Amino acid sequence: MPLIVPSLEFFRLKTRAEVLSLYSRFAPVGVEELELLEAGARVLARDLAAPEEVPGFHRASMDGFAVRAADSFGATPGLPQYLEIRGEVPMGQAPAGEVGPGEAWRIATGGMLPRGADAVVMVEFTNEMPDGTLEVRRPVAPGENVLHPGEDVKAGEVLFPAGKRLRPQDLGLLAALGVSRVQVLRRPRVAVLSSGDEIVPLTEKPAIGRVRDANAFLVAAQVRENGGLPRLMGIVPDDYAALKAVLAESLKEADLILISGGSSVGARDLTLKAMQDLPQAEILVHGVAIRPGKPTILADIDGKPLLGLPGHPASAAVVMQVLGRPLLERLAGETEHAAPWGGTVQAHLSRNLAGATGREDFVRVRLRLDHGMLWADPVLGPSGLLSPLVKSEGLVIIPLGVEGLFREEPVTVQLF
């Protein structure tokens, strides 16, 4: 086995902002074309412009009567204007005639405005007389209750820029424009590895001193939740040759490698050595000024990122939230960032909290509503425990350089 020497870089921690700034060196993973329905929640690879205008014709925005606006001027409930009903606009068809002076046509919402008409009187302000006369009790202005061609979307208008993640309403607009296929960026393929002689598969009952592989499933679920395609690569023992072989194999198919465990300083820290010995490998980060998650590694292996996660489940989960998700967004080509993680809420801290000296502190909290006030209750516990993470609903950040937060202080909770 090769000699393993702890890296002095571990003692030169990088801040979270410094780590995030390194992601620009990694390119998005590639482009594919999908049917519109398959493109939901995917990221556009190209700017998408409107091929035509919407609506494509003057159409009614209310149920009522198509009229010449001038014929309604002066109408009041006590002194209505009277028009002759001369026709009805069939839905989905062009009107067979036009509206002349003193005339009105029945029209439903979405119907095409007949020639000659320039407004729609809402049905609520009219009354049909038995002799086919329409009583108009309120005037309308030209263009009132009418959608004009291109009012919603103009032909050639850039609707969505490259890097935009498509939402259901976006798909609806594209369908209205007749766009059936779109070019999107591929979902990043992510190899998920666990390392350590103490790790056993979840189907195996662990012997004394061993634990099941919870990290792989926790991390893979976070990858899937954030748009990646996880692939479990199994458990790798604390063996240099085995680690290097699995990492090399993972690089053939994956766009990103996530490996948990084996990232702390010590004689058995083989992960760093195995990474360094891969072709065209560069260790960018070995240690981040955050708690939990200090023993985090970031490497560039021939243009592909490798993120070494801490072995403790809570640490791995937090690192995936604060560093893994932005990396997945970068690989997916997303440029419009959503609210952090699951969004944020404002609450009041229910107890004093001391910060971590020299590190940005991510404190797990549970939310509680009491007499109309939302409280954030810290859920404390070692980073090796899963239950505090399960009981939590988000994180409160104690910034780098801040000694702590006080009870009743307003805080922003970043939701899982």
PDB file of all heavy atoms in Angstrom, residues 1 26 39 52 89 127 137 141 163 188 206 222 239 285 289 297 312 362 365 389 392 399 402 404 414-415:
ATOM      1  N   MET A   1       0.853  -1.201   0.000  1.00  0.00           N
ATOM      2  CA  MET A   1       0.000   0.000   0.000  1.00  0.00           C
ATOM      3  C   MET A   1       0.878   1.237   0.000  1.00  0.00           C
ATOM      4  O   MET A   1       1.865   1.307   0.723  1.00  0.00           O
ATOM      5  CB  MET A   1      -0.904  -0.004   1.241  1.00  0.00           C
ATOM      6  CG  MET A   1      -1.886   1.169   1.284  1.00  0.00           C
ATOM      7  SD  MET A   1      -2.902   1.149   2.782  1.00  0.00           S
ATOM      8  CE  MET A   1      -1.697   1.743   3.975  1.00  0.00           C
ATOM      9  N   PHE A  26     -16.553  23.673 -14.273  1.00  0.00           N
ATOM     10  CA  PHE A  26     -17.220  22.452 -14.741  1.00  0.00           C
ATOM     11  C   PHE A  26     -18.320  22.823 -15.742  1.00  0.00           C
ATOM     12  O   PHE A  26     -19.168  23.669 -15.462  1.00  0.00           O
ATOM     13  CB  PHE A  26     -17.802  21.680 -13.570  1.00  0.00           C
ATOM     14  CG  PHE A  26     -16.769  21.265 -12.564  1.00  0.00           C
ATOM     15  CD1 PHE A  26     -16.780  21.787 -11.277  1.00  0.00           C
ATOM     16  CD2 PHE A  26     -15.764  20.374 -12.902  1.00  0.00           C
ATOM     17  CE1 PHE A  26     -15.827  21.421 -10.349  1.00  0.00           C
ATOM     18  CE2 PHE A  26     -14.795  19.999 -11.979  1.00  0.00           C
ATOM     19  CZ  PHE A  26     -14.824  20.529 -10.701  1.00  0.00           C
ATOM     20  N   ALA A  39     -40.591  17.313 -20.822  1.00  0.00           N
ATOM     21  CA  ALA A  39     -39.638  18.390 -20.553  1.00  0.00           C
ATOM     22  C   ALA A  39     -39.916  19.147 -19.273  1.00  0.00           C
ATOM     23  O   ALA A  39     -39.180  20.079 -18.935  1.00  0.00           O
ATOM     24  CB  ALA A  39     -39.620  19.367 -21.732  1.00  0.00           C
ATOM     25  N   GLU A  52     -44.978  32.107 -33.206  1.00  0.00           N
ATOM     26  CA  GLU A  52     -46.151  32.840 -33.700  1.00  0.00           C
ATOM     27  C   GLU A  52     -46.692  33.690 -32.565  1.00  0.00           C
ATOM     28  O   GLU A  52     -46.221  33.610 -31.430  1.00  0.00           O
ATOM     29  CB  GLU A  52     -47.226  31.861 -34.199  1.00  0.00           C
ATOM     30  CG  GLU A  52     -47.688  30.897 -33.132  1.00  0.00           C
ATOM     31  CD  GLU A  52     -48.578  29.801 -33.679  1.00  0.00           C
ATOM     32  OE1 GLU A  52     -48.184  29.162 -34.684  1.00  0.00           O
ATOM     33  OE2 GLU A  52     -49.656  29.572 -33.094  1.00  0.00           O
ATOM     34  N   VAL A  89     -71.596  34.337 -32.748  1.00  0.00           N
ATOM     35  CA  VAL A  89     -70.281  33.847 -33.158  1.00  0.00           C
ATOM     36  C   VAL A  89     -70.150  32.381 -32.744  1.00  0.00           C
ATOM     37  O   VAL A  89     -70.211  32.063 -31.561  1.00  0.00           O
ATOM     38  CB  VAL A  89     -69.156  34.669 -32.515  1.00  0.00           C
ATOM     39  CG1 VAL A  89     -67.791  34.099 -32.907  1.00  0.00           C
ATOM     40  CG2 VAL A  89     -69.263  36.144 -32.919  1.00  0.00           C
ATOM     41  N   ASN A 127     -79.706  43.133 -21.611  1.00  0.00           N
ATOM     42  CA  ASN A 127     -80.976  42.410 -21.464  1.00  0.00           C
ATOM     43  C   ASN A 127     -81.545  42.170 -22.855  1.00  0.00           C
ATOM     44  O   ASN A 127     -81.695  43.114 -23.643  1.00  0.00           O
ATOM     45  CB  ASN A 127     -81.960  43.216 -20.613  1.00  0.00           C
ATOM     46  CG  ASN A 127     -83.272  42.479 -20.417  1.00  0.00           C
ATOM     47  OD1 ASN A 127     -83.276  41.267 -20.210  1.00  0.00           O
ATOM     48  ND2 ASN A 127     -84.383  43.206 -20.491  1.00  0.00           N
ATOM     49  N   ARG A 137     -77.006  48.548 -20.872  1.00  0.00           N
ATOM     50  CA  ARG A 137     -77.159  49.450 -19.725  1.00  0.00           C
ATOM     51  C   ARG A 137     -75.834  50.046 -19.248  1.00  0.00           C
ATOM     52  O   ARG A 137     -75.815  50.733 -18.230  1.00  0.00           O
ATOM     53  CB  ARG A 137     -77.821  48.698 -18.569  1.00  0.00           C
ATOM     54  CG  ARG A 137     -79.194  48.117 -18.920  1.00  0.00           C
ATOM     55  CD  ARG A 137     -79.923  47.616 -17.675  1.00  0.00           C
ATOM     56  NE  ARG A 137     -79.211  46.546 -17.009  1.00  0.00           N
ATOM     57  CZ  ARG A 137     -79.366  45.258 -17.277  1.00  0.00           C
ATOM     58  NH1 ARG A 137     -80.230  44.894 -18.225  1.00  0.00           N
ATOM     59  NH2 ARG A 137     -78.678  44.346 -16.628  1.00  0.00           N
ATOM     60  N   ALA A 141     -65.631  50.968 -23.758  1.00  0.00           N
ATOM     61  CA  ALA A 141     -64.636  51.705 -24.527  1.00  0.00           C
ATOM     62  C   ALA A 141     -64.097  50.817 -25.641  1.00  0.00           C
ATOM     63  O   ALA A 141     -64.160  49.589 -25.551  1.00  0.00           O
ATOM     64  CB  ALA A 141     -63.497  52.155 -23.616  1.00  0.00           C
ATOM     65  N   GLY A 163     -31.011  27.891 -19.786  1.00  0.00           N
ATOM     66  CA  GLY A 163     -30.766  27.802 -18.347  1.00  0.00           C
ATOM     67  C   GLY A 163     -32.017  27.906 -17.509  1.00  0.00           C
ATOM     68  O   GLY A 163     -31.967  27.772 -16.292  1.00  0.00           O
ATOM     69  N   PRO A 188     -27.757  15.298 -14.961  1.00  0.00           N
ATOM     70  CA  PRO A 188     -26.433  14.768 -14.608  1.00  0.00           C
ATOM     71  C   PRO A 188     -26.514  13.336 -14.084  1.00  0.00           C
ATOM     72  O   PRO A 188     -27.362  13.013 -13.252  1.00  0.00           O
ATOM     73  CB  PRO A 188     -25.958  15.727 -13.506  1.00  0.00           C
ATOM     74  CG  PRO A 188     -26.751  16.971 -13.702  1.00  0.00           C
ATOM     75  CD  PRO A 188     -28.083  16.532 -14.225  1.00  0.00           C
ATOM     76  N   PRO A 206     -25.794  -5.845  10.632  1.00  0.00           N
ATOM     77  CA  PRO A 206     -24.404  -5.497  10.936  1.00  0.00           C
ATOM     78  C   PRO A 206     -23.892  -6.239  12.175  1.00  0.00           C
ATOM     79  O   PRO A 206     -24.598  -6.346  13.167  1.00  0.00           O
ATOM     80  CB  PRO A 206     -24.437  -3.994  11.170  1.00  0.00           C
ATOM     81  CG  PRO A 206     -25.851  -3.559  11.077  1.00  0.00           C
ATOM     82  CD  PRO A 206     -26.709  -4.742  10.816  1.00  0.00           C
ATOM     83  N   GLN A 222     -31.184  12.673  -2.379  1.00  0.00           N
ATOM     84  CA  GLN A 222     -30.956  14.103  -2.573  1.00  0.00           C
ATOM     85  C   GLN A 222     -30.580  14.411  -4.018  1.00  0.00           C
ATOM     86  O   GLN A 222     -31.002  15.430  -4.575  1.00  0.00           O
ATOM     87  CB  GLN A 222     -29.861  14.595  -1.623  1.00  0.00           C
ATOM     88  CG  GLN A 222     -30.293  14.650  -0.160  1.00  0.00           C
ATOM     89  CD  GLN A 222     -29.162  15.095   0.744  1.00  0.00           C
ATOM     90  OE1 GLN A 222     -28.184  14.385   0.931  1.00  0.00           O
ATOM     91  NE2 GLN A 222     -29.286  16.281   1.308  1.00  0.00           N
ATOM     92  N   ASP A 239      -9.247   0.134   0.914  1.00  0.00           N
ATOM     93  CA  ASP A 239      -8.165  -0.490   0.158  1.00  0.00           C
ATOM     94  C   ASP A 239      -7.843   0.418  -1.017  1.00  0.00           C
ATOM     95  O   ASP A 239      -8.722   0.740  -1.837  1.00  0.00           O
ATOM     96  CB  ASP A 239      -8.601  -1.875  -0.329  1.00  0.00           C
ATOM     97  CG  ASP A 239      -7.538  -2.542  -1.173  1.00  0.00           C
ATOM     98  OD1 ASP A 239      -6.638  -3.176  -0.605  1.00  0.00           O
ATOM     99  OD2 ASP A 239      -7.624  -2.410  -2.419  1.00  0.00           O
ATOM    100  N   VAL A 285     -10.181  21.306  -3.194  1.00  0.00           N
ATOM    101  CA  VAL A 285     -10.569  21.633  -1.816  1.00  0.00           C
ATOM    102  C   VAL A 285     -10.354  20.401  -0.953  1.00  0.00           C
ATOM    103  O   VAL A 285     -10.747  19.292  -1.331  1.00  0.00           O
ATOM    104  CB  VAL A 285     -12.060  22.052  -1.731  1.00  0.00           C
ATOM    105  CG1 VAL A 285     -12.458  22.311  -0.286  1.00  0.00           C
ATOM    106  CG2 VAL A 285     -12.336  23.266  -2.591  1.00  0.00           C
ATOM    107  N   ALA A 289     -14.801  25.436   5.628  1.00  0.00           N
ATOM    108  CA  ALA A 289     -15.075  26.116   6.898  1.00  0.00           C
ATOM    109  C   ALA A 289     -16.574  26.132   7.188  1.00  0.00           C
ATOM    110  O   ALA A 289     -17.206  27.189   7.259  1.00  0.00           O
ATOM    111  CB  ALA A 289     -14.510  27.530   6.870  1.00  0.00           C
ATOM    112  N   ILE A 297     -14.149  17.147   0.437  1.00  0.00           N
ATOM    113  CA  ILE A 297     -13.147  17.213  -0.629  1.00  0.00           C
ATOM    114  C   ILE A 297     -13.839  17.571  -1.944  1.00  0.00           C
ATOM    115  O   ILE A 297     -14.935  17.074  -2.224  1.00  0.00           O
ATOM    116  CB  ILE A 297     -12.424  15.862  -0.794  1.00  0.00           C
ATOM    117  CG1 ILE A 297     -11.625  15.511   0.473  1.00  0.00           C
ATOM    118  CG2 ILE A 297     -11.508  15.859  -2.010  1.00  0.00           C
ATOM    119  CD1 ILE A 297     -11.067  14.108   0.466  1.00  0.00           C
ATOM    120  N   HIS A 312     -20.236  10.908   8.394  1.00  0.00           N
ATOM    121  CA  HIS A 312     -21.403  11.028   9.268  1.00  0.00           C
ATOM    122  C   HIS A 312     -22.627  11.423   8.446  1.00  0.00           C
ATOM    123  O   HIS A 312     -22.553  12.348   7.626  1.00  0.00           O
ATOM    124  CB  HIS A 312     -21.170  12.071  10.361  1.00  0.00           C
ATOM    125  CG  HIS A 312     -20.207  11.625  11.419  1.00  0.00           C
ATOM    126  ND1 HIS A 312     -20.211  10.358  11.945  1.00  0.00           N
ATOM    127  CD2 HIS A 312     -19.208  12.299  12.060  1.00  0.00           C
ATOM    128  CE1 HIS A 312     -19.263  10.259  12.859  1.00  0.00           C
ATOM    129  NE2 HIS A 312     -18.634  11.417  12.935  1.00  0.00           N
ATOM    130  N   PHE A 362     -24.306  25.409  10.434  1.00  0.00           N
ATOM    131  CA  PHE A 362     -25.647  25.068   9.952  1.00  0.00           C
ATOM    132  C   PHE A 362     -26.350  24.259  11.038  1.00  0.00           C
ATOM    133  O   PHE A 362     -26.003  23.103  11.290  1.00  0.00           O
ATOM    134  CB  PHE A 362     -25.559  24.269   8.649  1.00  0.00           C
ATOM    135  CG  PHE A 362     -24.989  25.063   7.511  1.00  0.00           C
ATOM    136  CD1 PHE A 362     -23.622  25.160   7.334  1.00  0.00           C
ATOM    137  CD2 PHE A 362     -25.828  25.736   6.629  1.00  0.00           C
ATOM    138  CE1 PHE A 362     -23.083  25.903   6.295  1.00  0.00           C
ATOM    139  CE2 PHE A 362     -25.311  26.478   5.588  1.00  0.00           C
ATOM    140  CZ  PHE A 362     -23.935  26.563   5.422  1.00  0.00           C
ATOM    141  N   VAL A 365     -33.126  22.709  12.750  1.00  0.00           N
ATOM    142  CA  VAL A 365     -34.209  23.232  13.582  1.00  0.00           C
ATOM    143  C   VAL A 365     -35.540  22.592  13.200  1.00  0.00           C
ATOM    144  O   VAL A 365     -35.737  22.147  12.071  1.00  0.00           O
ATOM    145  CB  VAL A 365     -34.343  24.773  13.470  1.00  0.00           C
ATOM    146  CG1 VAL A 365     -33.103  25.476  13.990  1.00  0.00           C
ATOM    147  CG2 VAL A 365     -34.652  25.199  12.054  1.00  0.00           C
ATOM    148  N   LEU A 389     -31.714  14.771  12.299  1.00  0.00           N
ATOM    149  CA  LEU A 389     -31.941  15.251  10.929  1.00  0.00           C
ATOM    150  C   LEU A 389     -33.375  14.973  10.499  1.00  0.00           C
ATOM    151  O   LEU A 389     -34.033  15.809   9.875  1.00  0.00           O
ATOM    152  CB  LEU A 389     -30.954  14.563   9.989  1.00  0.00           C
ATOM    153  CG  LEU A 389     -30.846  15.103   8.560  1.00  0.00           C
ATOM    154  CD1 LEU A 389     -30.286  16.513   8.573  1.00  0.00           C
ATOM    155  CD2 LEU A 389     -29.963  14.185   7.723  1.00  0.00           C
ATOM    156  N   SER A 392     -35.881  17.358  11.951  1.00  0.00           N
ATOM    157  CA  SER A 392     -35.697  18.757  11.555  1.00  0.00           C
ATOM    158  C   SER A 392     -36.476  19.075  10.292  1.00  0.00           C
ATOM    159  O   SER A 392     -36.751  18.202   9.479  1.00  0.00           O
ATOM    160  CB  SER A 392     -34.210  19.046  11.320  1.00  0.00           C
ATOM    161  OG  SER A 392     -33.444  18.713  12.448  1.00  0.00           O
ATOM    162  N   PRO A 399     -23.569  32.780  10.592  1.00  0.00           N
ATOM    163  CA  PRO A 399     -22.533  33.142   9.618  1.00  0.00           C
ATOM    164  C   PRO A 399     -21.116  33.023  10.177  1.00  0.00           C
ATOM    165  O   PRO A 399     -20.886  33.068  11.390  1.00  0.00           O
ATOM    166  CB  PRO A 399     -22.874  34.595   9.264  1.00  0.00           C
ATOM    167  CG  PRO A 399     -24.308  34.763   9.635  1.00  0.00           C
ATOM    168  CD  PRO A 399     -24.512  33.880  10.822  1.00  0.00           C
ATOM    169  N   VAL A 402     -19.529  35.122  13.248  1.00  0.00           N
ATOM    170  CA  VAL A 402     -20.541  35.492  14.239  1.00  0.00           C
ATOM    171  C   VAL A 402     -20.463  34.508  15.397  1.00  0.00           C
ATOM    172  O   VAL A 402     -20.477  33.290  15.202  1.00  0.00           O
ATOM    173  CB  VAL A 402     -21.956  35.479  13.611  1.00  0.00           C
ATOM    174  CG1 VAL A 402     -23.022  35.738  14.677  1.00  0.00           C
ATOM    175  CG2 VAL A 402     -22.045  36.519  12.512  1.00  0.00           C
ATOM    176  N   GLY A 404     -22.553  33.851  17.793  1.00  0.00           N
ATOM    177  CA  GLY A 404     -23.767  33.112  18.124  1.00  0.00           C
ATOM    178  C   GLY A 404     -25.012  33.941  17.880  1.00  0.00           C
ATOM    179  O   GLY A 404     -24.942  35.103  17.461  1.00  0.00           O
ATOM    180  N   GLN A 414     -33.909  27.928   6.332  1.00  0.00           N
ATOM    181  CA  GLN A 414     -33.848  27.387   4.974  1.00  0.00           C
ATOM    182  C   GLN A 414     -34.358  25.963   5.028  1.00  0.00           C
ATOM    183  O   GLN A 414     -33.762  25.092   5.648  1.00  0.00           O
ATOM    184  CB  GLN A 414     -32.419  27.485   4.443  1.00  0.00           C
ATOM    185  CG  GLN A 414     -31.956  28.931   4.386  1.00  0.00           C
ATOM    186  CD  GLN A 414     -30.680  29.136   3.600  1.00  0.00           C
ATOM    187  OE1 GLN A 414     -29.967  28.192   3.325  1.00  0.00           O
ATOM    188  NE2 GLN A 414     -30.399  30.371   3.224  1.00  0.00           N
ATOM    189  N   LEU A 415     -35.505  25.764   4.392  1.00  0.00           N
ATOM    190  CA  LEU A 415     -36.238  24.491   4.527  1.00  0.00           C
ATOM    191  C   LEU A 415     -35.588  23.379   3.718  1.00  0.00           C
ATOM    192  O   LEU A 415     -35.028  23.608   2.658  1.00  0.00           O
ATOM    193  CB  LEU A 415     -37.685  24.682   4.077  1.00  0.00           C
ATOM    194  CG  LEU A 415     -38.485  25.749   4.837  1.00  0.00           C
ATOM    195  CD1 LEU A 415     -39.848  25.950   4.168  1.00  0.00           C
ATOM    196  CD2 LEU A 415     -38.674  25.357   6.292  1.00  0.00           C
TER     197      LEU A 415
END
